[in-house]
Amino acid sequence: MNIPEIFGENVFSDAVQKETLPTEVYKALRATVEAGKTLDVSIAGTVASAMKKWAVSKGATHYTHWFQPLTGLTAEKHESFITKEGDGVIMRLTGKSLIVGESDASSFPSGGSRATHMARGYTAWDPTSPAFVRGGTLYIPTVFVSHTGETLDNKAPLLRSMTALDRQAKRLLRLFGIDCKKVSCAVGPEQEYFLIDEEQYLKRKDLRLTGRTLFGAAVSRGQELEDNYFGALKLRVAAFMRDLDEELWRLGVMSKTKHNEVAPAQHEMAPIYSTVNVAVDANMLTMEVMRCVAKKHRLACILHEKPFRGINGSGKHNNWSLSTDTGFNLLDPGLSPENNTFFKLVLAAVIKAVDDYQGILRASVASAGNDLRLGADEAPPAIMSVYLGDQLGAMVDCIVKGKSYVATGTLESSIGVPESPIFPKDATDRNRTSPFAFTGNKFEFRSLGSQMNASEANICLNTIVADAFGAFADELEGKADIEKAADAIIAREFKQHYRIIYNLDGYGPEWVAEAKKRGLLNNKTTADAVAVCYDESNIGVYVRQKVFTREEAIARADIRLENYAKVINIEALTMIEMARREIIPAVSEFVGKLSGGVCAKKSLGDIPCKAETKLIKTLSELNDSADEAAEKLARDLKAIDKSDVRAASVAMAHVIIPDMEALRKIVDEMETLTASEYWKYPSYFDLLYSVR
Ligand code: ADP
Ligand code: MG
C-alpha cells in the first residue's frame, strides 16, 4: 500500500479542485474556504459540474447532501445524477442542487420549534468541509436549517461558534499587534471503541437495541491485570485496524494512532488534528466506517459510552487549540510563560470561561450513555475543573498570591540509562483524571462520550471562550498601556476563578467534598445537568455571540432532555422484555429441571440433594423478585407523563434508573447461579473474550 498515493483519493480535495476548476473559480472557492469569504454563488454551476465529473470517474452514480440533524447521527438521502435528455438520460449536478437541498424538517428533532405544517427544511453546502465519494455516492457536507433560518443541526452552530471565536480572538490579537486574517480552532478527537464477535453481538437484544448491556454478571477477569492497555493486538483486531486505516486514508481522514485500551476488547484510534468542523465531519465518518469495516470482519464495533459494567467505558478526548492562519498557536506558552502576557491573558480567558459556564459545558457532554461514565472512577467526574500542571499551576499560584514567579530549574530529564538520550521534559505532566487539562499547547476536554457528535462540546467551548475574549477586548480597547491593563485583568481573573483549577486526583472522593466547598457544580445526571441550560445567563452567552437565538438555545435543551428520556424509556422497555421473555423463563426452566432431578432422586430412596434443593429455593425466590421488579419498572414507566420533557427526564433519572438498577441486580445474581446452557444470551465472558 502506497499511503501518500491512496491518501484522499476519494476526496474532492484542494488538489483535485485546483486540477479540475478554472483558475478564477478555484481562487474564489479557496477564498471562501480559507478566509471565510461568503461564497460567490455564480461559481456554483462550474464547481458542481467539475465535482460530478470527478465523482462519476470514481464510480459515483448518486449524490447526497450529508447533514447532522439533532439525532446525534448523520443523515443522507441519495439522489442519482440522472437527468432526462431526449429519450435517455445524462449525468448532471446543477449548481443549485450543490448549494441547496430540501428536507422534511418535521421528521427530525427540533425541540418543538417546528410544527408539521411548517416542515420545510433546507440543507446548504458547507464548502469548508471537503466532499467525498463513498459506496457509489458523492457526499456533500451541508448545514441543515429551517425555512425561517433556525438551525436544526450540529454543523450550523459550530460554524457560527467558529466565526464568533475568530471575531473575538482577532480583537485581542490586534491589541497586541499580532496581525492575521483568521483565527481557527483545531481539534484532534481520540476515539475509543469496543470490538466483539458479531455472532455474540447478534444474540443480545440489549446491545442491538440500546448499544449497551442492560444485564450481565461480572466476569472473573476484568481489567485488573492492566495488561490490555497498549497490549499486543490480536490478529482479528489487527486486521480490522489495517482495513479501517486504509479506508479512512482513502477518505482523507488522517488516522494516526491505534492501540488497545484499558478494558478487554477496548481500542482507540486517534487522527491528526484539523480545523474543528472538518475534524467533526471526519469523526462522524470514522464512526460510520468503523461500524462497516467491523461487519466485514464479522465483528461488531460498539461505540456506546458504557457497554459493559465493571470495566471502563469509552470516551472521545477532544484536543482543542486555537491558531492563526499565520501559524501562531494562541495556547503556546513559549519558553517563559510568566513573561508572556498574551498567553497569560488567553489562559485567563479560558479559565474564566470554564468557571463561569461550567454548567453548560457539563451539559454539552450530557447523555444517558455518558452519565454512566462521568464520575464512575474511570473517566473525569461530572464536576468541571481545569488542570494546569506543575509549571503553569505554580505560575498562576504566584500571580494569585502576588508573589514573583521563579521558573523551576531545567526542563530536562535523565532516565538513568547511559545509552539512552536525555529527553526534554514536557511542561505539563499528564493528569488523566481531569476533565479539562492543559497539555503543552492545547487543552484536552476529556468528558465527551464516545458516540457523541463532537460538535456540541466544541460549540460550547468556542462560544464561552469567544465571550471571555470579547469581555477582555471590551475592557482593553482604548487603553494606553495594554500590557499593564492586561496584567491587571490577568491577576483579577486568576483570583476570581481560582476555584476551577484543580491539579490533583479528580477521581477521589476528596475532590467531590472539596469541589462542593468551592461551590462548583456536580450534576451527575443529564436531567440535572441540562436544567441549567434554561438559566438566563447561560442562554445569554449564546445569544451574545450570535451562536444560538434564545429560541434555539431552549429548543436544544429540550431536545437533549427529550432524547435522554427516550433512551431511558427504550432501555427500560428492553429490560422488561428480556426479563419476561428470556430471563424469567430460563430460570424457571432450570429450576424445573432441578426439581425433576430431585423428585427422581427421592423416588430412588435417601440420596443427598441438598445442593439442588438450596438452589431451587434461592432461584425461585430470586425469580419471583425479578418478576416483581419488572412489574414495578413497567408500572413506574407507564405513570410518567412524557409530554412534559423536563418532568419526564427527572422521573427517568430518579425513579426509572433506580428501578432498572434493582431489576439488574437480581438478574445478574441469577445469572451466576443458573447453568450456562440455560442462559438465553451470551455472558460477559462470551462477549469480551470471543475475539482472538
Ligand atoms: P494522548 O493519548 O497522549 O493524549 P494521542 O496521540 O492519542 O495523545 O492524541 C493526541 C491528539 O491530539 C491527536 O489527535 C493529535 O492530533 C491532537 N493534537 C496534537 N496537537 C494538537 C493541537 N495543537 N491542537 C489540537 N489537537 C492537537
Ligand atoms: Mg489524550
Side-chain angles (χ1 to χ4, degrees):
M1 184 179 0
N2 183 336
I3 302 173
E5 208 158 89
I6 65 162
F7 186 83
E9 69 174 19
N10 295 329
V11 181
F12 192 65
S13 60
D14 182 24
V16 179
Q17 290 168 22
K18 195 169 191 171
E19 200 182 300
T20 59
L21 294 172
T23 313
E24 286 315 303
V25 173
Y26 169 75
K27 277 192 187 150
L29 184 55
R30 291 321 290 175
T32 298
V33 176
E34 275 151 27
K37 271 188 67 180
T38 308
L39 183 78
D40 172 3
V41 284
S42 71
I43 67 168
T46 315
V47 178
S49 150
M51 210 187 251
K52 181 232 48 187
K53 199 167 159 205
W54 168 83
V56 169
S57 80
K58 294 280 165 196
T61 53
H62 289 68
Y63 72 93
T64 181
H65 274 200
W66 188 54
F67 60 106
Q68 299 172 17
L70 297 170
T71 53
L73 304 169
T74 56
E76 50 194 73
K77 180 178 105 190
H78 302 225
E79 293 278 354
S80 77
F81 290 121
I82 65 165
T83 309
K84 191 168 171 335
E85 177 128 315
D87 284 348
V89 294
I90 55 163
M91 301 293 263
R92 177 177 286 160
L93 178 66
T94 62
K96 183 163 177 287
S97 324
L98 167 64
I99 294 186
V100 277
E102 214 184 303
S103 186
D104 177 7
S106 68
S107 304
F108 292 102
S110 65
S113 60
R114 299 278 75 221
T116 316
H117 66 281
M118 325 189 328
R120 223 193 274 256
Y122 292 99
T123 49
W125 180 34
D126 168 19
T128 61
S129 181
F132 57 90
V133 168
R134 179 159 183 258
T137 295
L138 168 68
Y139 283 76
I140 302 166
T142 57
V143 297
F144 183 37
V145 293
S146 78
H147 186 52
T148 45
E150 301 156 277
T151 60
L152 298 171
D153 70 345
N154 280 312
K155 187 190 262 277
L158 180 63
L159 295 172
R160 288 183 186 166
S161 77
M162 291 164 71
T163 305
L165 199 50
D166 171 58
R167 188 170 49 230
Q168 305 295 4
K170 277 195 303 217
R171 289 176 65 199
L172 274 196
L173 284 161
R174 228 174 283 132
L175 287 166
F176 283 77
I178 306 167
D179 201 32
C180 70
K181 282 208 202 73
K182 193 172 174 181
V183 174
S184 51
C185 155
V187 159
E190 302 163 44
Q191 179 69 48
E192 292 180 336
Y193 60 96
F194 279 84
L195 280 182
I196 64 170
D197 190 81
E198 187 180 49
E199 211 180 308
Q200 308 292 341
Y201 168 82
L202 290 174
K203 291 183 191 152
R204 295 261 335 200
K205 220 171 250 170
D206 47 2
L207 274 177
R208 294 178 68 180
L209 291 175
T210 72
R212 74 177 179 105
T213 55
L214 299 168
F215 297 107
V219 59
S220 53
R221 175 178 173 150
Q223 62 195 39
E224 55 279 81
L225 295 178
E226 299 175 325
D227 54 353
N228 198 54
Y229 189 60
F230 286 9
L233 299 177
K234 289 176 178 143
L235 286 181
R236 276 179 84 188
V237 172
F240 160 86
M241 287 179 171
R242 203 182 148 78
D243 273 6
L244 174 67
D245 276 341
E246 185 177 336
E247 185 157 345
L248 290 176
W249 289 332
R250 286 186 199 278
L251 288 164
V253 178
M254 293 191 215
S255 174
K256 169 86 173 152
T257 311
K258 54 187 182 186
H259 61 80
N260 284 348
E261 257 301 331
V262 170
Q266 192 185 27
H267 315 281
E268 179 181 304
M269 173 278 194
I272 296 176
Y273 65 97
S274 51
T275 311
V276 58
N277 70 319
V278 175
V280 168
D281 287 358
N283 179 253
M284 296 306 285
L285 184 57
T286 298
M287 292 194 284
E288 184 54 31
V289 173
M290 278 177 167
R291 288 190 197 97
C292 292
V293 173
K295 266 188 210 147
K296 265 196 236 163
H297 288 258
R298 313 284 332 245
L299 296 166
C301 175
I302 300 181
L303 288 159
H304 193 282
E305 283 80 15
K306 189 75 181 177
F308 307 102
R309 177 167 292 181
I311 55 172
N312 277 9
S314 300
K316 181 164 13 226
H317 293 173
N318 190 80
N319 295 274
W320 177 91
S321 69
L322 301 171
S323 51
T324 65
D325 58 318
T326 54
F328 171 65
N329 179 347
L330 277 65
L331 292 172
D332 187 350
L335 287 174
S336 53
E338 66 278 15
N339 301 321
N340 187 341
T341 310
F342 184 75
F343 170 75
K344 286 188 285 185
L345 192 65
V346 170
L347 189 65
V350 175
I351 286 169
K352 168 181 167 60
V354 175
D355 186 27
D356 282 343
Y357 297 106
Q358 47 180 295
I360 47 174
L361 196 58
R362 158 70 182 103
S364 79
V365 295
S367 73
N370 215 22
D371 283 356
L372 298 166
R373 201 180 137 252
L374 300 182
D377 298 348
E378 53 161 69
I383 309 160
M384 291 292 126
S385 66
V386 179
Y387 169 81
L388 292 177
D390 295 345
Q391 196 194 358
L392 289 183
M395 181 190 84
V396 171
D397 277 353
C398 288
I399 295 173
V400 168
K401 291 177 189 140
K403 289 196 220 146
S404 64
Y405 171 73
V406 190
T408 42
T410 156
L411 282 180
E412 277 187 348
S413 155
S414 165
I415 56 177
V417 179
E419 294 83 352
S420 291
I422 283 178
F423 59 97
K425 212 171 122 193
D426 274 342
T428 51
D429 191 8
R430 291 305 173 104
N431 178 337
R432 301 204 167 266
T433 65
S434 173
F436 199 77
F438 186 72
T439 51
N441 60 1
K442 61 184 188 313
F443 276 99
E444 185 171 341
F445 186 23
R446 298 207 178 94
S447 307
L448 282 76
S450 47
Q451 64 182 338
M452 286 180 172
N453 180 317
S455 297
E456 297 174 69
N458 286 298
I459 292 167
C460 182
L461 208 47
N462 291 350
T463 306
I464 62 179
V465 171
D467 199 63
F469 283 170
F472 290 179
D474 285 345
E475 209 177 325
L476 288 172
E477 279 162 355
K479 287 268 165 28
D481 188 340
I482 298 292
E483 288 271 338
K484 196 170 149 226
D487 274 335
I489 293 180
I490 292 163
R492 184 191 71 208
E493 298 295 326
F494 280 152
K495 247 180 237 153
Q496 194 165 339
H497 301 289
Y498 195 58
R499 63 172 190 170
I500 200 76
I501 299 170
Y502 189 65
N503 287 323
L504 305 176
D505 181 6
Y507 289 0
E510 314 79 47
W511 175 224
V512 176
E514 168 69 18
K516 194 168 176 192
K517 245 194 267 159
R518 295 188 188 186
L520 300 177
L521 297 173
N522 184 7
N523 288 322
K524 289 197 177 139
T525 71
T526 298
D528 300 328
V530 176
V532 308
C533 298
Y534 299 95
D535 294 351
E536 280 311 319
S537 74
N538 289 334
I539 294 173
V541 67
Y542 286 117
V543 175
R544 210 160 39 242
Q545 294 307 322
K546 301 188 170 57
V547 173
F548 291 134
T549 60
R550 203 188 143 69
E551 294 70 31
E552 285 172 331
I554 292 170
R556 304 242 157 191
D558 285 349
I559 291 170
R560 209 173 258 285
L561 290 182
E562 199 176 271
N563 174 270
Y564 172 76
K566 283 180 181 166
V567 168
I568 307 280
N569 188 49
I570 294 169
E571 289 185 346
L573 291 174
T574 306
M575 283 186 104
I576 295 167
E577 152 121 11
M578 286 173 77
R580 288 182 176 160
R581 300 187 60 199
E582 296 182 337
I583 296 157
I584 294 170
V587 172
S588 161
E589 203 182 324
F590 178 52
V591 168
K593 172 83 180 171
L594 288 174
S595 309
V598 169
C599 287
K601 278 187 181 180
K602 286 205 167 140
S603 71
L604 292 175
D606 190 20
I607 299 178
C609 52
K610 258 199 251 152
E612 293 96 322
T613 313
K614 193 171 126 210
L615 205 48
I616 291 166
K617 193 164 179 297
T618 311
L619 277 174
S620 301
E621 279 166 10
L622 284 170
N623 223 17
D624 280 355
S625 309
D627 182 59
E628 277 160 29
E631 203 67 52
K632 175 167 173 12
L633 176 56
R635 208 171 8 180
D636 289 343
L637 205 55
K638 222 175 192 167
I640 293 176
D641 171 11
K642 304 206 177 57
S643 63
D644 178 349
V645 282
R646 286 210 230 175
S649 68
V650 171
M652 291 293 176
H654 302 295
V655 179
I656 300 303
I657 290 180
D659 280 357
M660 288 163 62
E661 226 16 80
L663 175 56
R664 175 170 187 158
K665 191 161 176 273
I666 302 163
V667 170
D668 288 357
E669 192 180 345
M670 295 201 297
E671 186 185 338
T672 64
L673 298 172
T674 305
S676 43
E677 60 190 287
Y678 285 83
W679 211 246
K680 301 277 195 244
Y681 50 77
S683 66
Y684 269 26
F685 169 71
D686 303 322
L687 296 170
L688 294 170
Y689 292 97
S690 58
V691 174
R692 303 194 312 133

